[in-house]
Amino acid sequence: MSPAPLAGPASAEVPRSEPPLGASTQASTARHALALAGFAGVALVALVGVEGPVATRTVLIGGACLVLWLTEVVPSFVPTLLLLGATPVLLGPLDRAYHLPSVLAWCADPVLILFLGGFTLEVAAMRHGLDASVARHVMRLSGGRARRLVWLVMAGVAFLSMWMSNVAAAAMMLAALRPLLQATPAGAPLRPALLLGVALGANVGGIATPVGSGPNALAVSAASAHAQVTFAKWLSFALPLTLLLLVVGFGLVLLRFRVSGRLSLPTEAPRPLERAGRRVLWVSAACVVAWLSEPLHGVPAPVVALAATALLFGAGLLKREDLGRLDWATLLLIAGGIALGRLMEHSGLVARVLGSADLEGWPVPVQLGALVAAAAVLSALMSNTGTAALLIPLATQLHPAASTPVLVALGCSLGMPFVISTPPNAMAVGEGLASSELMKLGVPLMLGGCLLVSLSGPAVLRLFGLP
């Protein structure tokens, strides 16, 4: 999931190594230069590449939003506000379908409520120490065995990333590991192995659930036009992929660093959960069970999420100030991605692009493989949710099926080989991991994952009723 602030009495702010000021300034300058080049390209396409006022203005609006999302020169929610404001102003005079009420209706998607519930559970877990408790238990369960510790770290941070921000999950695990990392001798293979385990686990954990990442939300919304993607259905096909990637990643880590033997773990007195923490745990467990059993009781997952949110605030487990700690920026980002897709489809721009590209003559497996690979490569360099917002409307027009947006979303989650690819990667490098180590393991995982998703994904999804 996308970044959320760490807050609450049980979650301390986790210190991280910051890049040198000069490097940060250079990166910012490069992003702004890239954004200016992107705006120039958008203006050129709008003026000479399309015909008609609707298409021209749609290119200007959508292109500007995509440039801002992909270059990340402004906060992630700003392009959504730009989209919601510019569409009625520029397109409203041409067609009443672009007036503000209609544009706002594009964003009224139940998947936003599902994510709201996930963020609420995340804030409650951090406030009452559930996330830190999971990290401490991972350390304890390893029993001092180095290989078991690496595996449990990867699995633990992946489990946390299934339900909460991958940044928060990585931060909690790094905080639990920091005494051990500091006590590990320089040059010992355990340190880079653990840091890689944190980064890889955080990156692949979000694949497993609909609330795990922004691209998943956009895929669920787009697929709903063809088939319902329930929480249980997503988990049933995505969790095995997550586990497979974890196992392969663990094997690559051991192959690279040859971790073995026993180690001395820092001693820490156990901290039992307080009563409020146990109540949050029961609410979270009940919510997850209700999500998974949706086919049995018929209550939609967003309704369950809304009920859990009301219960947490109504029972006093979350306070009024916790409302501000919810990740509203990501909710706006997802809403903007949904609205952008609706704008491109409604304006007919997607159909024009595909008609001019003449991709329909390609074999369907080649089309899907190219889309998955493009999603992974773009997400490795830029925002994965922005990439999904760009590719999912194109993909669903090219191959209209429930499986298509899901495959693109899975591809977006595979873009993880560089330090700039995801925040957990940057955090691991900030703790001392060499960026080259990320590439040595991340590139094979990305390429292998793209092949696996492209070749077997459509058949697997058909088994779960997503043709």
Side-chain angles (χ1 to χ4, degrees), residues 233-257:
K233 186 177 292 186
W234 184 286
L235 190 70
S236 60
F237 66 73
L239 183 58
L241 175 61
T242 298
L243 292 175
L244 178 60
L245 291 174
L246 278 176
V247 171
V248 173
F250 176 63
L252 291 175
V253 170
L254 293 187
L255 188 64
R256 175 70 182 89
F257 295 107

Side-chain angles (χ1 to χ4, degrees), residues 101-121:
S102 300
V103 174
L104 292 177
W106 294 345
C107 302
D109 196 289
V111 75
L112 295 175
I113 301 299
L114 181 60
F115 258 71
L116 176 65
F119 291 149
T120 305
L121 293 176

Side-chain angles (χ1 to χ4, degrees), residues 109-155:
D109 196 289
V111 75
L112 295 175
I113 301 299
L114 181 60
F115 258 71
L116 176 65
F119 291 149
T120 305
L121 293 176
E122 172 187 342
V123 171
M126 290 191 294
R127 168 173 277 281
H128 297 286
L130 268 68
D131 52 352
S133 179
V134 169
R136 289 194 299 268
H137 280 299
V138 164
M139 294 281 289
R140 181 179 58 82
L141 291 173
S142 70
R145 298 181 182 274
R147 289 188 175 183
R148 185 186 297 176
L149 177 61
V150 173
W151 167 251
L152 288 174
V153 164
M154 292 184 66

Side-chain angles (χ1 to χ4, degrees), residues 376-425:
V377 172
L378 287 176
S379 294
L381 302 172
M382 298 172 287
S383 161
N384 62 354
T385 306
T387 299
L390 169 66
L391 291 181
I392 284 179
L394 292 170
T396 51
Q397 286 285 327
L398 180 64
H399 186 61
S403 61
T404 304
V406 175
L407 294 174
V408 173
L410 295 177
C412 289
S413 295
L414 294 171
M416 54 183 171
F418 309 126
V419 64
I420 61 171
S421 297
T422 67
N425 286 8

Side-chain angles (χ1 to χ4, degrees), residues 131-434:
D131 52 352
S133 179
V134 169
R136 289 194 299 268
H137 280 299
V138 164
M139 294 281 289
R140 181 179 58 82
L141 291 173
S142 70
R145 298 181 182 274
R147 289 188 175 183
R148 185 186 297 176
L149 177 61
V150 173
W151 167 251
L152 288 174
V153 164
M154 292 184 66
V157 75
F159 174 78
L160 289 172
S161 296
M162 289 168 58
W163 314 102
M164 63 188 297
S165 159
N166 62 0
V167 177
M172 285 298 99
M173 193 61 72
L174 288 173
L177 291 172
R178 189 162 286 115
L180 176 61
L181 294 174
Q182 292 173 346
T184 302
L190 180 62
R191 182 183 180 88
L194 288 173
L195 292 175
L196 266 174
V198 170
L200 294 178
N203 290 333
V204 304
I207 295 174
T209 64
V211 299
S213 71
N216 295 0
L218 298 181
V220 171
S221 175
S224 64
H226 305 279
Q228 183 184 12
V229 183
T230 64
F231 197 100
K233 186 177 292 186
W234 184 286
L235 190 70
S236 60
F237 66 73
L239 183 58
L241 175 61
T242 298
L243 292 175
L244 178 60
L245 291 174
L246 278 176
V247 171
V248 173
F250 176 63
L252 291 175
V253 170
L254 293 187
L255 188 64
R256 175 70 182 89
F257 295 107
R258 309 291 183 180
V259 177
S260 61
R262 300 182 67 89
L263 49 95
S264 177
L265 296 177
T267 58
E268 183 180 0
R271 304 177 190 173
L273 286 175
E274 297 180 357
R275 182 181 179 186
R278 293 194 297 271
R279 292 169 67 188
V280 170
L281 180 60
W282 281 110
V283 172
S284 301
C287 185
V288 172
V289 169
W291 279 339
L292 297 179
S293 58
E294 179 182 345
L296 299 177
H297 53 68
V299 179
V303 175
V304 173
L306 202 59
T309 300
L311 182 59
L312 289 170
F313 279 101
L317 297 172
L318 289 176
K319 306 298 182 183
R320 179 176 179 178
E321 57 269 21
D322 291 317
L323 195 63
R325 297 190 177 106
L326 299 179
D327 199 351
W328 298 107
T330 295
L331 285 175
L332 277 174
L333 171 60
I334 295 170
I338 294 171
L340 179 62
R342 305 280 169 81
L343 171 63
M344 295 177 69
E345 293 170 9
H346 195 277
S347 65
L349 190 61
V350 174
R352 293 192 187 189
V353 171
L354 294 177
S356 61
D358 193 24
L359 299 177
E360 295 184 355
W362 294 16
V364 172
V366 176
Q367 295 177 13
L368 295 177
L371 288 168
V372 171
V377 172
L378 287 176
S379 294
L381 302 172
M382 298 172 287
S383 161
N384 62 354
T385 306
T387 299
L390 169 66
L391 291 181
I392 284 179
L394 292 170
T396 51
Q397 286 285 327
L398 180 64
H399 186 61
S403 61
T404 304
V406 175
L407 294 174
V408 173
L410 295 177
C412 289
S413 295
L414 294 171
M416 54 183 171
F418 309 126
V419 64
I420 61 171
S421 297
T422 67
N425 286 8
M427 294 169 67
V429 170
E431 292 290 339
L433 179 68

